[in-house]
Amino acid sequence: MKHNHVFEYGRIILMPLEKADIEELRILRNSQKQFFISRHEIDSGAQEQWYEKYLKNPEDIMFKVVKKEKPEEFIGAIALYDIDWENMTSECGRTVIDKLKAPEKGIGMEATKAVCLFGFQVLKLNKIVGEVLKTNERIIKVDLRAGFRIVGENDNLYFIEMTKETINA
């Protein structure tokens, strides 16, 4: 959805994802597609179509991630999506961080904590869930350090959840 939310945590700032960011997001996501459940290559046209659909979706809040010290530089993205406004739950994911622009340890975890704190404090969510590929050891570690718990699994995925009581703020 089109939004104006800005949320700071640690060394990062979450800002609205703008149309000017989507090509850089596409390139970054394609370079890390092995970490996503949907691993297909995304072309520029598909990215533009996705962005136009995203802007109209009230259950989807996408952020670009920037560093406080360099807020003009896109270093990644993260989202709360499939927001269930009736039950006040959401899924967290679509996380991608450019390690060349943000080589410091912990940036991904700060982005994860930031989006979850935003969900609990601003949106007043009760629970945030996610699905993580079992082969994505890096994001599993990040999510567990941020306060997610593994609540189930299948052959390929871990199912995770966090509440405002379990977040490691």
Side-chain angles (χ1 to χ4, degrees):
M1 91 170 68
K2 185 147 180 69
H3 68 90
N4 294 313
H5 298 291
V6 175
F7 195 85
E8 295 185 26
Y9 179 82
R11 298 168 287 174
I12 60 106
I13 305 171
L14 301 180
M15 302 174 75
L17 183 72
E18 301 291 341
K19 188 166 186 161
D21 305 313
I22 67 171
E23 181 63 11
E24 197 165 358
L25 171 60
R26 182 189 73 81
I27 292 166
L28 182 59
R29 188 265 181 213
N30 281 344
S31 75
Q32 297 182 16
K33 66 185 176 191
Q34 71 273 21
F35 300 118
F36 287 85
I37 294 169
S38 175
R39 295 181 181 169
H40 65 282
E41 190 85 9
I42 298 171
D43 65 30
S44 295
Q47 185 77 352
E48 291 236 359
Q49 288 176 345
W50 166 83
Y51 185 73
E52 292 305 317
K53 187 177 172 187
Y54 154 73
L55 290 176
K56 298 172 186 164
N57 185 348
E59 286 86 36
D60 201 339
I61 299 178
M62 192 85 187
F63 289 100
K64 70 177 167 185
V65 181
V66 301
K67 290 191 243 180
K68 286 181 181 177
E69 66 191 36
K70 208 170 186 184
E72 70 283 354
E73 183 177 55
F74 174 95
I75 64 164
I78 195 164
L80 292 174
Y81 55 97
D82 291 337
I83 301 169
D84 179 339
W85 295 107
E86 187 175 322
N87 294 306
M88 299 307 288
T89 62
S90 174
E91 188 161 347
C92 174
R94 301 182 189 153
T95 308
V96 60
I97 300 292
D98 187 333
K99 285 301 196 179
L100 296 175
K101 293 180 182 177
E104 309 90 337
K105 284 187 169 254
I107 295 290
M109 187 179 63
E110 288 181 22
T112 299
K113 281 186 172 183
V115 80
C116 291
L117 286 168
F118 168 82
F120 294 130
Q121 294 174 4
V122 178
L123 301 181
K124 306 298 184 200
L125 297 175
N126 297 317
K127 182 169 57 173
I128 300 173
V129 300
E131 296 178 351
V132 183
L133 289 170
K134 287 183 173 180
T135 56
N136 193 347
E137 294 174 11
R138 181 177 51 183
I139 199 71
I140 293 166
K141 185 177 177 182
V142 164
D143 287 345
L144 293 176
R145 285 182 58 213
F148 279 98
R149 299 174 300 133
I150 296 173
V151 295
E153 64 183 281
N154 66 21
D155 289 345
N156 301 315
L157 300 171
Y158 287 120
F159 304 104
I160 59 174
E161 73 175 33
M162 178 192 296
T163 65
K164 49 190 154 195
E165 291 79 31
T166 63
I167 191 168
N168 294 329

